Amino acid sequence: MAAKRWIDGDETAAEMLSRVSSERPFLLLPPLHRVPLRVGNVVELAGPSSSAKTQILIQAAVNCILPREWNGVHYGGLERLVMFIDLDCRFDILRLSEMLKHKIMEPNGSMHDHEELFAACMRRFMYVRCYDSLEFLATLKTLHHRLKREKAMHNVNIQLLMIDSIGPFHWVDRGSTFFPLGSHNRKCLSLQSISETVVQEIRKLLVLHPMLVIATKEIVLGNVYGTDGAKQNKYMLEASGIRSITSSSQQLPYREFMPPIWQSLITHKILVRASDDHLLIRPDQENSLYLSEWLLPSLGYQDKFVVKDEHGMRSPPCLIIPPMPT
């Protein structure tokens, strides 16, 4: 489609340069840095509760809304728009603002004379909270017009669409036979039709607004049952359609509850989880370690990273040791 627009002469040279620049593969910060990603990719960040998934999203968002350089100071950001769709309804905007201030203060030591930069970055971050699947569908269907307005207002493209997380309405929708939409003669939405519409709308958005999509998904890992329980339930897990992911130390079975239509949209998949180990930062402070593993494409090793808490602010995830083979 991009080639046809170029042949038809519907694209100026400036628009072509902007498009080529945005479609170029780029690397995110750890622990999402192992595979070059490009606009159009859909990354699923799967992990159990309290595995730093939202923190990873916040770090990627901060890097996206920060400029590459401001007043002679290098920040290395992308200076692009971010759309964050909160389906968990637990996102705390203060966490984003704290990490943004932390990044701004790193080369300067203070926020003095940087309020303008902070405000400009926050304006590039868009946030929507949805309380059920119908609100999520309505958001996706109207998102094109909002992104078009924001692009014209800020004169920059959108780079990231974040969904945190993709599964919270699944079980509620599954327990409902249908969703009545007003009058009785209107078509009802089933669980399958909701999933198909979500995927269809995301695909449309990717055509109209080339961007990278990152969606978190909460899963239940098999090690929560313990070693003995996992052995006793092995037959039950296999019969239930649970897949096993092999790591260096244990099997990590989990139920893939999202429907095949959603899985067909995913181009990259990462598993993150908390480690049983801890890192001693100071004599009076221990920080939890986390493991990340690329499942699609499979890289055959894990990264170990830590999220530090410095002066009441959670710092960005950072790698601490070389990758471990799985």
Side-chain angles (χ1 to χ4, degrees), residues 297-308:
S298 177
L299 300 184
Y301 56 80
Q302 296 176 335
D303 283 314
K304 197 174 257 190
F305 64 95
V306 63
V307 178
K308 296 182 292 184

Side-chain angles (χ1 to χ4, degrees), residues 12-218:
T12 66
E15 291 171 340
M16 184 197 71
L17 290 174
S18 175
R19 174 178 56 80
V20 171
S21 176
S22 65
E23 294 176 357
R24 181 185 307 164
F26 60 94
L27 290 174
L28 295 175
L29 298 176
L32 304 180
H33 65 303
R34 294 297 181 186
V35 176
L37 299 169
R38 63 173 70 241
V39 295
N41 290 155
V42 180
V43 181
E44 186 180 82
L45 187 61
S49 178
S50 302
S51 55
K53 298 186 298 297
T54 301
Q55 191 72 7
I56 293 171
L57 290 187
I58 291 175
Q59 173 187 258
V62 167
N63 186 63
C64 187
I65 61 180
L66 274 170
R68 183 177 301 276
E69 186 176 305
W70 191 80
N71 283 354
V73 178
H74 180 76
Y75 290 99
L78 300 175
E79 200 168 353
R80 298 291 177 88
L81 300 175
V82 173
M83 168 57 71
F84 193 105
I85 303 179
D86 182 13
L87 304 187
D88 269 341
C89 302
R90 294 182 296 180
F91 180 76
D92 185 359
I93 193 66
L94 289 178
R95 293 173 62 186
L96 174 80
S97 63
E98 287 173 356
M99 186 179 292
L100 177 59
K101 290 178 181 178
H102 179 81
K103 294 292 292 183
I104 292 176
M105 291 187 328
E106 271 185 342
N108 303 287
S110 73
M111 281 292 295
H112 183 63
D113 294 333
H114 290 84
E115 290 80 6
E116 181 183 348
L117 171 60
F118 175 80
C121 291
M122 291 299 293
R123 284 193 293 269
R124 288 191 281 268
F125 182 81
M126 299 169 285
Y127 175 82
V128 175
R129 174 173 288 187
C130 302
Y131 292 94
D132 56 44
S133 291
L134 296 182
E135 287 191 5
F136 183 35
L137 289 177
T139 297
L140 292 176
K141 285 181 175 293
T142 58
L143 196 53
H144 162 62
H145 301 288
R146 178 172 180 179
L147 294 180
K148 191 175 180 181
R149 291 196 307 268
E150 295 289 341
K151 178 181 177 180
M153 184 184 305
H154 299 282
N155 198 29
V156 292
N157 294 324
I158 183 169
Q159 187 76 16
L160 292 176
L161 170 62
M162 298 179 165
I163 304 173
D164 189 27
S165 69
I166 193 58
F169 308 140
H170 175 83
W171 303 110
V172 176
D173 297 348
R174 187 173 181 176
S176 303
T177 306
F178 58 85
F179 289 90
L181 297 179
S183 60
H184 296 291
N185 60 346
R186 295 186 66 181
K187 183 179 178 181
C188 294
L189 285 177
S190 65
L191 176 62
Q192 180 65 23
S193 63
I194 289 174
S195 301
E196 290 174 352
T197 306
V198 166
V199 170
Q200 182 182 34
E201 293 300 324
I202 292 177
R203 291 189 190 279
K204 288 180 182 178
L205 285 169
L206 289 177
V207 172
L208 297 171
H209 304 277
M211 54 188 166
L212 173 67
V213 180
I214 307 179
T216 65
K217 182 178 70 179
E218 186 168 328

Side-chain angles (χ1 to χ4, degrees), residues 196-263:
E196 290 174 352
T197 306
V198 166
V199 170
Q200 182 182 34
E201 293 300 324
I202 292 177
R203 291 189 190 279
K204 288 180 182 178
L205 285 169
L206 289 177
V207 172
L208 297 171
H209 304 277
M211 54 188 166
L212 173 67
V213 180
I214 307 179
T216 65
K217 182 178 70 179
E218 186 168 328
I219 60 174
V220 177
L221 296 179
N223 59 332
V224 298
Y225 301 108
T227 304
D228 294 336
K231 291 180 180 179
Q232 294 172 2
N233 290 291
K234 181 178 180 182
Y235 174 77
M236 181 183 69
L237 296 176
E238 292 176 350
S240 302
I242 292 178
R243 297 192 309 169
S244 292
I245 303 171
T246 304
S247 70
S248 58
S249 58
Q250 59 185 320
Q251 294 284 315
L252 302 176
Y254 73 97
R255 175 183 287 278
E256 183 52 85
F257 61 88
M258 291 300 291
I261 185 66
W262 170 258
Q263 296 302 319

